[in-house]
Amino acid sequence: MRFRFGAFTLDLDTRQLTAGDRVVHLAPKAFELLAALIVDRPRVLSKKVLQKRLWPETFVTEANLANLLSEVREALGDNARSPLFIRTAHGFGYAFCGDAAVTGTPDRAPESPPCWLEWDGRRLPLSVGEHVIGRDPDVEIRLDQSTVSRRHARLVVTMEGAVLEAFDSKNGTFRGSERVSAPVQLTDGDAIRVGSVLMTFRVRASLASEETQLL
């Protein structure tokens, strides 16, 4: 998937930022920061969420994040005082504020979520990107249950489907009856249990039929 904004193109598959025919260098973590902001646009991502995404299970200071943001802004020629692409939500976090067009997925409408979760009569659409599941107030999918860890598991969603990853939690993450110990690809109708919370993973009908044809 590629995102085009201003003179730039961000390609998530090749992990490249380009301006015309020129490759714009970004360190790996700086690339991940820009990708996280543009995928979740226009939502503001808190500093805490960004730190957890970029340095999972590792404590870092806010200076690390600030340095990465400076690198991204320098690469984009962006100005913090009058931003074209990345704005600061003072005292909270950052957001991508520019206009971005999704390219490289002509057969699918990017605004249509490819999949969602269902539990307790709720339906939660899953946008493309990472979705951490847990009890922490800053995670993307919050489950306020004592059997759920603060950061329990993660769903990585693309336009092709989703992968479930388990973090280290004593109550475990399950797909069906099997405990998840390594990342697993999800299919339509899969039962997911996070602690004591049981959810169902659903895939858009057109995507599910494409997956069946590939099997």
Side-chain angles (χ1 to χ4, degrees):
M1 180 177 291
R2 296 186 296 274
F3 297 90
R4 186 168 295 163
F5 55 99
F8 300 95
T9 299
L10 185 75
D11 193 316
L12 300 187
D13 295 324
T14 64
R15 291 183 62 86
Q16 283 186 313
L17 175 67
T18 56
D21 295 330
R22 178 175 61 92
V23 176
V24 180
H25 175 73
L26 280 178
K29 290 293 186 185
F31 182 92
E32 292 172 15
L33 171 59
L34 177 57
L37 292 173
I38 199 169
V39 165
D40 281 77
R41 71 193 189 288
R43 187 162 70 101
V44 178
L45 296 180
S46 71
K47 295 176 183 179
K48 187 174 181 180
V49 164
L50 287 170
Q51 286 172 326
K52 287 181 178 179
R53 286 194 187 184
L54 297 171
W55 297 279
E57 311 303 329
T58 303
F59 173 78
V60 295
T61 66
E62 285 192 11
N64 295 69
L65 182 59
N67 290 338
L68 283 185
L69 192 70
S70 295
E71 180 181 345
V72 172
R73 280 178 167 150
E74 183 177 356
L76 300 179
D78 207 14
N79 188 318
R81 293 184 179 275
S82 54
L84 294 175
F85 302 117
I86 299 175
R87 71 177 180 89
T88 300
H90 293 287
F92 184 76
Y94 307 99
F96 188 88
C97 60
D99 292 327
V102 180
T103 63
T105 55
D107 296 331
R108 297 178 184 135
E111 67 274 7
S112 177
C115 48
W116 61 91
L117 290 176
E118 296 176 349
W119 80 96
D120 289 339
R122 298 174 58 186
R123 174 171 168 157
L124 177 66
L126 298 170
S127 60
V128 171
E130 294 186 356
H131 302 265
V132 175
I133 305 171
R135 200 159 36 88
D136 193 294
D138 287 327
V139 301
E140 289 76 14
I141 303 173
R142 186 165 186 260
L143 303 175
D144 191 13
Q145 297 287 336
S146 60
T147 59
V148 177
S149 299
R150 295 180 68 83
R151 286 171 54 83
H152 200 110
R154 173 170 57 192
L155 282 167
V156 180
V157 179
T158 69
M159 290 303 293
E160 285 70 45
V163 171
L164 175 64
E165 302 176 9
F167 295 150
D168 186 19
S169 173
K170 65 179 182 180
N171 291 320
T173 301
F174 296 81
R175 182 186 63 172
S177 60
E178 297 182 4
R179 184 163 184 153
V180 175
S181 57
V184 293
Q185 185 78 39
L186 297 175
T187 59
D188 184 51
D190 276 348
I192 300 171
R193 182 161 60 83
V194 178
S196 62
V197 180
L198 183 62
M199 299 178 283
T200 303
F201 175 77
R202 307 298 302 186
V203 176
R204 194 176 62 238
S206 59
L207 183 59
S209 62
E210 291 172 13
E211 289 178 343
T212 301
Q213 293 173 11
L214 292 174
L215 295 177

